[in-house]
Amino acid sequence: MFCPFCRHADTKVSDSRATDDGLAIRRRRVCCSCQRKFTTVEQIQLYVLKRSGVVEAFSREKVIRGVAKACQNRPVTAAQLAALGQRVEEDLRSIGQAELTSEDIGIAILGPLAELDPVAYLRFASVYKNFDSVDDFIDEVDSMKRRHPAGDALLPELVRGPRPRDRLTGTPDRLTRSISAILVVRKK
Protein backbone atom coordinates (compact mmCIF):
# COMPACT_ATOMS: atom_id res chain seq x y z
CA MET A 1 0.00 0.00 0.00
CA PHE A 2 1.46 3.35 -1.03
CA CYS A 3 1.39 6.24 1.42
CA PRO A 4 -0.99 8.91 0.04
CA PHE A 5 1.29 11.66 1.40
CA CYS A 6 4.84 10.69 0.38
CA ARG A 7 4.09 7.78 -2.02
CA HIS A 8 6.43 5.48 -0.05
CA ALA A 9 5.61 1.80 -0.67
CA ASP A 10 6.17 0.52 2.90
CA THR A 11 3.31 0.96 5.39
CA LYS A 12 2.30 -0.88 8.55
CA VAL A 13 -1.17 -1.70 9.78
CA SER A 14 -1.75 -0.29 13.28
CA ASP A 15 -5.44 -1.24 13.66
CA SER A 16 -7.90 -3.41 11.77
CA ARG A 17 -11.69 -3.62 12.25
CA ALA A 18 -14.70 -5.04 10.47
CA THR A 19 -17.28 -2.50 9.28
CA ASP A 20 -20.60 -2.55 7.43
CA ASP A 21 -21.76 -5.71 9.19
CA GLY A 22 -18.57 -7.53 8.26
CA LEU A 23 -18.75 -6.67 4.56
CA ALA A 24 -15.65 -4.47 4.70
CA ILE A 25 -12.43 -4.15 6.70
CA ARG A 26 -11.21 -0.78 7.94
CA ARG A 27 -7.45 -0.59 8.44
CA ARG A 28 -5.53 2.20 10.14
CA ARG A 29 -2.04 2.42 8.61
CA VAL A 30 1.22 4.21 9.41
CA CYS A 31 3.79 5.15 6.76
CA CYS A 32 7.28 3.88 7.63
CA SER A 33 8.86 6.86 5.88
CA CYS A 34 6.92 9.98 6.92
CA GLN A 35 5.16 8.46 9.98
CA ARG A 36 1.79 9.90 8.93
CA LYS A 37 -1.39 7.88 9.55
CA PHE A 38 -4.16 7.13 7.08
CA THR A 39 -7.15 4.82 6.80
CA THR A 40 -8.00 2.30 4.11
CA VAL A 41 -11.21 0.35 3.59
CA GLU A 42 -11.08 -3.03 1.90
CA GLN A 43 -14.22 -4.46 0.40
CA ILE A 44 -14.94 -7.19 -2.13
CA GLN A 45 -16.28 -5.56 -5.26
CA LEU A 46 -19.11 -7.40 -6.97
CA TYR A 47 -19.42 -7.19 -10.75
CA VAL A 48 -22.45 -7.95 -12.88
CA LEU A 49 -22.16 -9.64 -16.26
CA LYS A 50 -25.17 -8.41 -18.20
CA ARG A 51 -26.90 -10.30 -21.01
CA SER A 52 -25.35 -7.92 -23.54
CA GLY A 53 -21.87 -8.95 -22.37
CA VAL A 54 -21.16 -5.65 -20.60
CA VAL A 55 -19.60 -5.89 -17.12
CA GLU A 56 -20.49 -3.25 -14.53
CA ALA A 57 -20.13 -2.81 -10.78
CA PHE A 58 -22.99 -4.13 -8.63
CA SER A 59 -25.21 -1.39 -7.25
CA ARG A 60 -27.55 -1.96 -4.31
CA GLU A 61 -29.31 1.29 -5.22
CA LYS A 62 -30.08 -0.08 -8.68
CA VAL A 63 -31.65 -3.18 -7.10
CA ILE A 64 -33.75 -0.97 -4.83
CA ARG A 65 -34.88 1.23 -7.75
CA GLY A 66 -35.93 -1.83 -9.76
CA VAL A 67 -37.87 -3.33 -6.87
CA ALA A 68 -39.42 0.08 -6.05
CA LYS A 69 -41.01 0.11 -9.52
CA ALA A 70 -42.64 -3.24 -8.77
CA CYS A 71 -43.78 -1.95 -5.36
CA GLN A 72 -45.38 1.20 -6.75
CA ASN A 73 -48.76 1.88 -5.06
CA ARG A 74 -48.17 -1.03 -2.67
CA PRO A 75 -47.89 -0.81 1.14
CA VAL A 76 -44.08 -1.12 1.12
CA THR A 77 -41.91 1.44 2.92
CA ALA A 78 -38.52 2.80 1.92
CA ALA A 79 -37.02 1.09 4.97
CA GLN A 80 -38.38 -2.27 3.80
CA LEU A 81 -36.90 -1.67 0.34
CA ALA A 82 -33.53 -0.77 1.87
CA ALA A 83 -33.61 -3.94 4.01
CA LEU A 84 -34.46 -6.01 0.93
CA GLY A 85 -31.56 -4.42 -0.97
CA GLN A 86 -29.17 -5.21 1.87
CA ARG A 87 -30.44 -8.79 2.12
CA VAL A 88 -30.02 -9.33 -1.63
CA GLU A 89 -26.46 -7.94 -1.53
CA GLU A 90 -25.55 -10.11 1.46
CA ASP A 91 -26.98 -13.19 -0.25
CA LEU A 92 -24.97 -12.41 -3.40
CA ARG A 93 -21.76 -11.85 -1.41
CA SER A 94 -22.28 -15.16 0.41
CA ILE A 95 -22.06 -16.96 -2.95
CA GLY A 96 -18.35 -16.16 -2.89
CA GLN A 97 -18.02 -15.05 -6.50
CA ALA A 98 -16.85 -11.60 -7.55
CA GLU A 99 -18.62 -11.75 -10.94
CA LEU A 100 -22.32 -12.54 -11.08
CA THR A 101 -24.79 -12.72 -13.93
CA SER A 102 -27.90 -10.57 -14.08
CA GLU A 103 -29.90 -13.80 -13.70
CA ASP A 104 -28.18 -14.45 -10.35
CA ILE A 105 -29.32 -11.04 -9.16
CA GLY A 106 -32.88 -11.56 -10.39
CA ILE A 107 -33.12 -14.90 -8.61
CA ALA A 108 -31.72 -13.34 -5.42
CA ILE A 109 -34.42 -10.63 -5.58
CA LEU A 110 -37.41 -12.93 -6.20
CA GLY A 111 -37.33 -14.78 -2.86
CA PRO A 112 -37.23 -11.79 -0.50
CA LEU A 113 -39.68 -9.86 -2.68
CA ALA A 114 -42.22 -12.71 -2.57
CA GLU A 115 -42.04 -12.57 1.23
CA LEU A 116 -42.34 -8.77 1.28
CA ASP A 117 -45.27 -8.33 -1.11
CA PRO A 118 -46.73 -11.03 -3.38
CA VAL A 119 -48.26 -8.52 -5.81
CA ALA A 120 -44.94 -6.71 -6.20
CA TYR A 121 -43.36 -10.13 -6.70
CA LEU A 122 -45.77 -10.84 -9.58
CA ARG A 123 -44.99 -7.48 -11.15
CA PHE A 124 -41.23 -8.02 -10.89
CA ALA A 125 -41.46 -11.63 -12.06
CA SER A 126 -43.54 -10.58 -15.06
CA VAL A 127 -40.65 -8.46 -16.31
CA TYR A 128 -37.81 -10.69 -15.11
CA LYS A 129 -39.34 -13.89 -16.49
CA ASN A 130 -40.73 -12.18 -19.63
CA PHE A 131 -44.39 -13.04 -19.15
CA ASP A 132 -46.19 -12.98 -22.50
CA SER A 133 -49.77 -13.75 -21.54
CA VAL A 134 -52.27 -13.90 -18.72
CA ASP A 135 -51.57 -17.64 -18.56
CA ASP A 136 -48.03 -16.87 -17.41
CA PHE A 137 -49.48 -14.89 -14.49
CA ILE A 138 -51.91 -17.66 -13.62
CA ASP A 139 -49.10 -20.24 -13.72
CA GLU A 140 -47.00 -18.08 -11.39
CA VAL A 141 -49.94 -17.59 -8.99
CA ASP A 142 -50.47 -21.37 -8.96
CA SER A 143 -46.76 -21.81 -8.24
CA MET A 144 -47.05 -19.35 -5.34
CA LYS A 145 -50.00 -21.30 -3.96
CA ARG A 146 -48.01 -24.56 -4.13
CA ARG A 147 -45.10 -22.97 -2.26
CA HIS A 148 -47.47 -21.72 0.48
CA PRO A 149 -50.36 -24.24 0.53
CA ALA A 150 -51.32 -23.62 4.16
CA GLY A 151 -50.20 -20.01 4.13
CA ASP A 152 -53.13 -18.47 2.26
CA ALA A 153 -53.05 -15.73 4.87
CA LEU A 154 -49.65 -14.73 3.45
CA LEU A 155 -51.14 -14.24 0.00
CA PRO A 156 -53.44 -11.35 -0.74
CA GLU A 157 -57.03 -11.97 -1.69
CA LEU A 158 -56.28 -11.72 -5.41
CA VAL A 159 -53.88 -14.70 -5.21
CA ARG A 160 -56.16 -17.02 -3.23
CA GLY A 161 -58.03 -18.15 -6.30
CA PRO A 162 -60.70 -17.11 -8.68
CA ARG A 163 -64.02 -15.97 -7.37
CA PRO A 164 -67.22 -16.68 -9.27
CA ARG A 165 -68.49 -14.09 -11.70
CA ASP A 166 -70.53 -11.31 -10.20
CA ARG A 167 -74.14 -12.30 -10.92
CA LEU A 168 -75.36 -8.70 -11.16
CA THR A 169 -72.83 -7.23 -13.58
CA GLY A 170 -71.22 -10.28 -15.16
CA THR A 171 -67.72 -8.81 -14.61
CA PRO A 172 -64.71 -11.16 -14.58
CA ASP A 173 -63.36 -12.34 -11.29
CA ARG A 174 -60.96 -10.17 -9.30
CA LEU A 175 -57.87 -12.20 -10.26
CA THR A 176 -58.34 -11.55 -13.96
CA ARG A 177 -58.95 -7.82 -13.37
CA SER A 178 -55.80 -7.59 -11.27
CA ILE A 179 -53.70 -9.43 -13.85
CA SER A 180 -55.06 -7.17 -16.58
CA ALA A 181 -54.08 -4.14 -14.49
CA ILE A 182 -50.58 -5.55 -14.08
CA LEU A 183 -50.30 -6.06 -17.83
CA VAL A 184 -51.29 -2.42 -18.39
CA VAL A 185 -48.63 -1.27 -15.91
CA ARG A 186 -46.02 -3.45 -17.68
CA LYS A 187 -46.78 -1.92 -21.10
CA LYS A 188 -46.12 1.64 -19.85
Side-chain angles (χ1 to χ4, degrees):
M1 173 64 63
F2 288 99
C3 173
F5 305 107
C6 70
R7 305 296 297 159
H8 192 263
D10 192 20
T11 61
K12 290 184 180 177
V13 175
S14 62
D15 185 31
S16 191
R17 297 180 188 198
T19 60
D20 294 333
D21 297 327
L23 296 177
I25 297 174
R26 179 186 163 273
R27 297 191 196 279
R28 191 75 177 142
R29 297 179 179 267
V30 179
C31 176
C32 296
S33 176
C34 69
Q35 301 302 314
R36 293 180 80 175
K37 294 182 179 182
F38 60 98
T39 302
T40 60
V41 178
E42 298 173 19
Q43 183 176 20
I44 296 173
Q45 182 66 46
L46 293 176
Y47 291 98
V48 181
L49 176 61
K50 304 190 113 199
R51 291 180 187 154
S52 64
V54 174
V55 178
E56 66 179 43
F58 173 81
S59 169
R60 182 190 302 184
E61 291 76 29
K62 193 170 180 181
V63 168
I64 293 170
R65 280 194 312 268
V67 172
K69 289 177 187 174
C71 293
Q72 190 174 359
N73 298 324
R74 298 295 306 152
V76 177
T77 65
Q80 289 173 313
L81 288 174
L84 183 138
Q86 181 174 353
R87 180 175 169 190
V88 167
E89 184 175 357
E90 288 172 356
D91 289 348
L92 292 171
R93 288 186 185 281
S94 70
I95 293 173
Q97 295 177 340
E99 190 170 287
L100 306 160
T101 64
S102 54
E103 286 101 23
D104 294 334
I105 295 171
I107 290 168
I109 291 171
L110 287 174
L113 185 56
E115 294 171 13
L116 180 63
D117 188 276
V119 174
Y121 167 84
L122 278 174
R123 289 176 176 171
F124 188 86
S126 72
V127 175
Y128 175 71
K129 295 181 178 182
N130 296 320
F131 286 4
D132 291 325
S133 68
V134 174
D135 292 334
D136 293 334
F137 281 94
I138 292 170
D139 292 342
E140 192 64 33
V141 169
D142 289 341
S143 173
M144 291 171 72
K145 286 180 179 180
R146 283 192 300 276
R147 284 192 300 262
H148 302 289
D152 272 353
L154 298 173
L155 303 176
E157 188 174 314
L158 77 96
V159 177
R160 286 193 192 125
R163 295 184 347 190
R165 289 182 171 269
D166 186 336
R167 290 183 193 159
L168 298 175
T169 62
T171 58
D173 64 20
R174 190 169 175 186
L175 176 63
T176 305
R177 282 197 311 266
S178 299
I179 289 174
S180 298
I182 292 171
L183 286 173
V184 170
V185 170
R186 183 174 177 229
K187 289 181 182 178
K188 288 182 183 179

